[in-house]
Amino acid sequence: MAEAAATVKKKKPGWGVLLRSLRNPKSGYMALFGFASGLPFALFLGTLYAWLSEAEVELETMGVFSLIGLAYAFQFLWSPLIDKVTIPGFSKLGRRKQWIVPAQILLGVILIALSLSNPTNEAIGWFSLLAGIGALASATQDIAINAWRIDVADEEATLDILSTIYQMGYRLAALVGGALGLIIAARIGWPQTYLMMGAILLAIGIAGLFAPDSKAGENVDGTVGDDLLLSLRKKGELKPELRAKALAAVGLLWAIAIGVVLTFMYMSLAYPPEERPNPTDFTLNYGPWIIVATVVIPAFIAGWLASQKRKGENVMTEDLPEQAGGAYSLDHLYRALVMPLVEFVGRMGWSLVLILSLVLTYRICDAIWGTFAYPFYLGELEYTNDEVAFASKFFGVGAIIAGLALGGYMLTVIGRMATLTIGALLAALTNLLYADMAIGGATMQVASDASGFSWFISTIAPFGSEALPRLTFTIMWENLAIGIAGAAYVAWLSSIVSKKYSAVQYALLSSLTMLVGTLGRGALGEMIEEQGYYTVFIFTTLIGFVAVALCVMEWIRETRAGKSSGVVTADAKAIPAE
């Protein structure tokens, strides 16, 4: 909702709103669903490589498993299914749960099946197939859970708090499936560890049966799918022939994008190791064009359609009769592929430029830096694996969760846009802490010593060197900032999508979030080699200030526009932008 509208509706800011939201049963289910989202990601893209390494699987063979990441990177390609398709036999579970619960149970079964498999070079085919199916199920679950969070949010269980709880569950799962998973596997073995994780997901899937949800085939405003299809044939709507042309263009672009991804996956699985395409090169070279084909060009088409309807051009002058067969199917496809963008572009208007700019830049520092964190810690600063694991995995994850909790509290006290802006500023400034570390870390050491933090770390981590406290101190402040920014960003991103098309719109926007960071890693790597880490950290600080400026502009836009800001309100009614 718009910041001004949110202020009016809040009766008791701060702990009152926070406690009411936390007491709501939806918050408990959100924590479980967030954990269920984070656990497979950690297991398939992290600890699985450790298991394969211990099993002495060849590196070329392990490269196939990098395909799993594509399921997460391009999950928006099948997001229209989550919004519009009803699964036979599961529809009674609810609109979103018909996807969430089966995905969680399937993930549990796959993890248990993996625990019973033997990941050797000879049997890697079956093992990789299970992991690939699991990644697809996990990415599908993520789409449905994000849509569920947006759909069920209300004034009791607010969108801001549900978004924060989701991330806390996700981060905790990353710790359990990552660092803790490694510790457990070292004591009881990898098969037993994955068996345990599979049982956890099965339990969450069973618990999810009791979560609230709207009926399958029913929209959040109480209308059913066919009601919306019939509305497409009402007076004042776009002519069927124009919709058909738009659908053909958008459908072709999506089909090409999906075909490119499937071709790459086939080549990676079927070709000899020396002929397989490189996943990183594919993401860098084809990723932007996939986004252009599925987001950018369709957005222009959607904008033109919205302008035609607004001007009263190419619209029907009378109601048309209900259709069946081919025409009915085309209306269904139009509603799934084109209408989410038409609704979003029509609601946002020219504000869409500012919205997309903010989406592309807000998490850019995190996205770029993440790739080079371990080379910096282990290579440049010469910390040991144990020290880095303690500072980044254990203490760091705790700091992120604390930052998320603080961010959730700030959302209830000072509002979404204020928290979003402060989060962007803090995330940018923490790059300066790393700049100090790059030139010796003298300032961070003084701050750590003066605050008593060095004594604390040396007490709980006696295995570390004298330099460990300043690394932990730096990571702590960075992760606190990441937590605050993450809580605000997911809440804001969730607030600007329509509940009618939450699965598609959120999946598309979230896929754009990491785009610039992904594409910028190559250039940043060259910059590190040529100019060193200190210069890079100063540069990423300046990049972060761009996001801060965009946050301020978006804050001003929402404040000035008020109810015409294009932000979706709590009752799911999208108010058109001026």
Side-chain angles (χ1 to χ4, degrees), residues 502-520:
S502 53
V504 178
Q505 291 181 357
Y506 189 89
L508 286 171
L509 291 173
S510 61
S511 70
L512 293 176
T513 299
M514 309 304 285
L515 177 62
V516 173
T518 300
L519 299 180

Side-chain angles (χ1 to χ4, degrees), residues 228-247 298 300-320 330-331 334-335 338-339 341-343 346:
L228 288 178
L229 290 178
L230 289 175
S231 68
L232 290 175
R233 311 191 73 80
K234 298 293 184 182
K235 178 181 177 181
E237 292 293 330
L238 294 170
K239 294 180 178 179
E241 55 269 25
L242 182 65
R243 295 202 310 268
K245 292 178 181 178
L247 174 62
F300 279 109
I301 294 174
W304 182 76
L305 292 174
S307 69
Q308 290 290 294
K309 184 177 178 180
R310 186 169 54 250
K311 295 175 183 177
E313 299 177 2
N314 287 308
V315 297
M316 295 180 290
T317 57
E318 59 182 15
D319 292 351
L320 294 181
L330 286 177
D331 282 349
Y334 179 84
R335 179 173 166 244
V338 183
M339 280 186 68
L341 280 173
V342 172
E343 189 280 336

Side-chain angles (χ1 to χ4, degrees), residues 29 32-34 36-37 40 82 87 89-110 134 137-146 148 198-214:
Y29 287 113
L32 287 177
F33 286 166
S37 285
I82 312 300
I87 306 178
F90 292 94
S91 59
K92 291 183 178 180
L93 294 177
R95 186 185 184 209
R96 305 303 184 188
K97 283 164 53 182
Q98 65 173 332
W99 292 93
I100 295 173
V101 173
Q104 290 171 347
I105 293 177
L106 176 60
L107 283 165
V109 171
I110 286 175
S138 176
T140 301
Q141 174 196 223
D142 289 352
I143 298 171
I145 287 176
N146 284 321
W148 180 88
I200 292 174
L201 277 173
L202 284 176
I204 294 176
I206 294 172
L209 292 170
F210 304 98
D213 198 4
S214 58

Side-chain angles (χ1 to χ4, degrees), residues 198-544:
I200 292 174
L201 277 173
L202 284 176
I204 294 176
I206 294 172
L209 292 170
F210 304 98
D213 198 4
S214 58
K215 294 181 179 179
E218 182 180 284
N219 296 294
V220 290
D221 58 0
T223 61
V224 296
D226 283 346
D227 293 337
L228 288 178
L229 290 178
L230 289 175
S231 68
L232 290 175
R233 311 191 73 80
K234 298 293 184 182
K235 178 181 177 181
E237 292 293 330
L238 294 170
K239 294 180 178 179
E241 55 269 25
L242 182 65
R243 295 202 310 268
K245 292 178 181 178
L247 174 62
V250 173
L252 178 62
L253 291 169
W254 276 66
I256 292 173
I258 293 173
V260 169
V261 173
L262 291 177
T263 300
F264 171 78
M265 295 180 71
Y266 171 78
M267 293 173 64
S268 299
L269 291 171
Y271 283 27
E274 64 275 7
E275 297 181 15
R276 292 172 186 162
N278 184 283
T280 302
D281 291 343
F282 174 82
T283 303
L284 291 175
N285 296 328
Y286 289 91
W289 294 110
I290 291 174
I291 296 295
V292 168
T294 55
V295 180
V296 179
I297 296 177
F300 279 109
I301 294 174
W304 182 76
L305 292 174
S307 69
Q308 290 290 294
K309 184 177 178 180
R310 186 169 54 250
K311 295 175 183 177
E313 299 177 2
N314 287 308
V315 297
M316 295 180 290
T317 57
E318 59 182 15
D319 292 351
L320 294 181
E322 182 179 351
Q323 294 292 319
Y328 181 79
S329 298
L330 286 177
D331 282 349
H332 259 296
L333 288 172
Y334 179 84
R335 179 173 166 244
L337 283 180
V338 183
M339 280 186 68
L341 280 173
V342 172
E343 189 280 336
F344 189 74
V345 174
R347 173 161 48 89
M348 291 299 178
W350 285 107
S351 301
L352 184 64
V353 177
L354 174 59
I355 297 293
L356 292 181
S357 299
L358 183 53
V359 166
L360 288 168
T361 58
Y362 191 82
R363 304 303 298 271
I364 186 173
C365 293
D366 301 338
I368 292 180
W369 165 238
T371 304
F372 304 101
Y374 287 106
F376 179 64
Y377 300 148
L378 299 171
E380 183 76 7
L381 302 183
E382 298 182 344
Y383 285 97
T384 66
N385 287 335
D386 287 344
E387 289 175 327
V388 173
F390 169 80
S392 64
K393 293 298 183 183
F394 288 100
F395 204 92
V397 171
I400 287 181
I401 293 176
L404 287 167
L406 179 58
Y409 177 71
M410 291 170 63
L411 286 167
T412 66
V413 175
I414 62 177
R416 187 179 297 142
M417 291 311 301
T419 308
L420 188 75
T421 305
I422 293 172
L425 179 61
L426 292 176
L429 291 176
T430 53
N431 285 276
L432 297 178
L433 307 184
Y434 281 101
D436 178 72
M437 290 290 290
I439 56 174
T443 302
M444 300 310 299
Q445 186 67 53
V446 169
S448 179
D449 292 342
S451 63
F453 190 82
S454 295
W455 171 84
F456 173 70
I457 294 300
S458 62
T459 301
I460 65 173
F463 59 85
S465 64
E466 294 181 357
L468 178 59
R470 65 170 176 257
L471 174 67
T472 311
F473 193 67
T474 303
I475 290 177
M476 178 190 71
W477 288 111
E478 181 205 22
N479 286 6
L480 279 170
I482 288 175
I484 294 171
Y489 180 72
V490 172
W492 172 76
L493 198 67
S494 301
S495 75
I496 64 175
V497 304
S498 168
K499 288 191 175 184
K500 291 181 180 179
Y501 310 103
S502 53
V504 178
Q505 291 181 357
Y506 189 89
L508 286 171
L509 291 173
S510 61
S511 70
L512 293 176
T513 299
M514 309 304 285
L515 177 62
V516 173
T518 300
L519 299 180
R521 288 171 189 164
L524 196 72
E526 294 179 3
M527 187 176 179
I528 290 173
E529 292 183 357
E530 296 175 0
Q531 303 184 39
Y533 280 99
Y534 177 81
T535 302
V536 167
F537 287 126
I538 299 299
F539 177 67
T540 52
T541 301
L542 297 176
I543 293 177

